Amino acid sequence: EKTVRGGKPASEPIEVPYAPDGWMTNTGLAKKLKRDRETVKVSANKHLVGHPEWKQLYRITDDEKITGHYSPELVALVEEELGKKEE
């Protein structure tokens, strides 16, 4: 039996779409910026306080893997704040 967050049985399948263009996972943004995932998360969370809609759940694979994605607006703010780390 499938469950949803919190372990409660899902009454019916939940259709979760793939992320729209420009939406990125924390891991994807961290790789792009060459930063630690936690650093990106801390930066993003500061902005999410005022804009919780900037983080949404989307599908990332065909096997029902669903994870949080950051909106293009949030991605731009995190990129501006952290920049790309020099190698």
Side-chain angles (χ1 to χ4, degrees), residues 23-54:
W23 287 69
M24 296 185 75
T25 63
N26 176 280
T27 300
L29 185 54
K31 285 180 182 178
K32 179 180 178 183
L33 298 177
K34 299 180 179 169
R35 297 286 184 153
D36 182 83
R37 289 190 318 244
E38 188 63 27
T39 301
V40 171
K41 182 179 177 181
V42 168
S43 175
N45 283 345
K46 287 189 280 186
H47 302 290
L48 286 169
V49 171
H51 295 279
E53 73 278 7
W54 285 355

Side-chain angles (χ1 to χ4, degrees), residues 59-80:
R59 178 182 307 276
I60 59 171
T61 63
D62 287 333
D63 64 359
E64 299 183 16
K65 174 92 171 146
I66 296 167
T67 192
H69 284 70
Y70 298 150
S71 71
E73 295 87 352
L74 182 55
V75 168
L77 289 171
V78 172
E79 286 178 336
E80 185 178 313

Side-chain angles (χ1 to χ4, degrees), residues 1-10:
E1 179 174 277
K2 291 187 178 196
T3 61
V4 293
R5 190 177 297 237
K8 297 178 183 173

